[in-house]
């Protein structure tokens, strides 16, 4: 349920770039991964059967961090065959960086006598709402560290819990000599990551 990868030569924002192993100070045969994707589940009554897809990588199509909640599609779409209708569930997107904000995407009927659908977005952006005076993330953290305020810092037991999840994955990769998939720089990762998805699911491409 995991895939690790390493970027090869490709094109990023119109510029040709070399692969990871051609970078300065990187060993020619380095197995170091620059991409990881996995599917996880939380075995509880609340989250049973809900897949959690995570992927992160370097030299991908865009530099961003976001959390997306895809709502379950209805078994019987009332306007499924209407013009403009897309067979995609509603989604709540929380953008962490850049352009921090929250957006809710959902389908709505176009006003009028006919039956036509269109996806619309309710969008909140910190930059638009509060201007450019919002402090940088590390600016706030450095100030809090100077003040001795640990409110926004991760607690030690949380860090230990995170590593208790990641360590078995790293150990499994090492013990089983897990292959490192290749993906071109400027893409959304190796094609092997598609095998992690359940039927009907898809990776989001902002």
């Amino acid at each position: 349920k995991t895939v690790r990868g390493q970027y090869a030569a490709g094109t990023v924002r119109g510029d040709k770039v070399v692969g990871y192993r051609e970078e300065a100070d990187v060993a020619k045969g380095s197995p170091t991964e620059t991409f990881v994707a996995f599917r996880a589940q939380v075995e509880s009554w609340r989250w049973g059967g809900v897949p959690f897809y995570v992927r992160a990588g370097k030299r991908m199509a865009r530099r961003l961090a976001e959390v997306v909640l895809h709502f379950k599609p209805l078994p019987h779409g009332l306007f499924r065959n209407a013009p403009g209708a897309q067979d995609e569930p509603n989604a709540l997107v929380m953008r962490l960086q850049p352009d921090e904000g929250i957006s809710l995407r959902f389908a709505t009927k176009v006003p009028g006598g006919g039956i036509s659908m269109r996806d619309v977005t309710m969008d909140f952006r910190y930059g638009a709402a509060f201007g450019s005076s919002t402090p940088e993330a590390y600016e706030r953290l450095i100030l809090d560290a100077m003040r001795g305020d640990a409110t926004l810092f991760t607690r030690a037991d949380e860090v230990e819990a995170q590593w208790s999840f990641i360590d078995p994955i790293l150990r499994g990769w090492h013990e089983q000599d897990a292959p490192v998939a290749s993906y071109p720089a400027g893409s959304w990762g190796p094609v092997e990551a598609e095998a992690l998805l359940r039927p009907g699911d898809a990776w989001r491409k902002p």
Side-chain angles (χ1 to χ4, degrees), residues 5-91:
Q6 185 184 91
Y7 67 83
T11 303
V12 179
R13 292 184 291 276
D15 297 326
K16 291 185 176 181
V17 297
V18 300
Y20 177 74
R21 294 179 180 178
E22 286 74 52
E23 298 280 8
D25 301 322
V26 174
K28 297 302 180 183
S30 173
T32 300
E33 61 274 351
T34 61
F35 172 94
V36 62
F38 64 82
R39 185 184 76 224
Q41 291 187 193
V42 179
E43 299 296 342
S44 71
W45 66 269
R46 185 184 300 276
W47 296 106
V50 177
F52 288 80
Y53 296 113
V54 177
R55 67 175 175 177
K58 296 180 179 295
R59 287 281 172 89
M60 297 181 72
R62 286 184 59 190
R63 181 180 178 273
L64 58 88
E66 64 181 19
V67 178
V68 184
L69 176 64
H70 291 275
F71 295 92
K72 285 185 177 181
L74 293 174
H76 55 286
L78 185 60
F79 301 106
R80 180 163 293 168
N81 297 321
Q86 299 185 28
D87 195 16
E88 293 185 9
N90 298 340

Side-chain angles (χ1 to χ4, degrees), residues 120-192:
V120 297
T121 302
M122 295 177 63
D123 210 359
F124 163 71
R125 299 172 185 267
Y126 276 95
F130 303 112
S132 58
S133 61
T134 305
E136 294 291 331
Y138 289 110
E139 179 182 345
R140 172 68 186 276
L141 290 177
I142 292 172
L143 181 60
D144 284 351
M146 295 170 65
R147 291 173 172 171
D149 184 353
T151 303
L152 298 180
F153 289 80
T154 305
R155 291 188 346 187
D157 57 344
E158 182 179 350
V159 174
E160 291 172 358
Q162 293 167 350
W163 278 108
S164 70
F165 178 84
I166 296 298
D167 273 340
I169 297 175
L170 297 176
R171 186 166 57 251
W173 285 350
H174 176 72
E175 293 175 353
Q176 300 178 26
D177 194 21
V180 181
S182 178
Y183 65 97
S187 69
W188 286 106
V191 296
E192 286 82 351

Side-chain angles (χ1 to χ4, degrees), residues 79 82-85 108-118:
F79 301 106
T108 183
K109 178 183 174 297
V110 177
I115 300 296
S116 181
M117 304 299 295
R118 190 174 73 187

Side-chain angles (χ1 to χ4, degrees), residues 39 49-53 70-71 73 89 193-194 196-204:
R39 185 184 76 224
V50 177
F52 288 80
Y53 296 113
H70 291 275
F71 295 92
E194 301 295 325
L196 299 175
L197 302 172
R198 299 190 313 185
D201 293 344
W203 291 109
R204 172 177 161 82

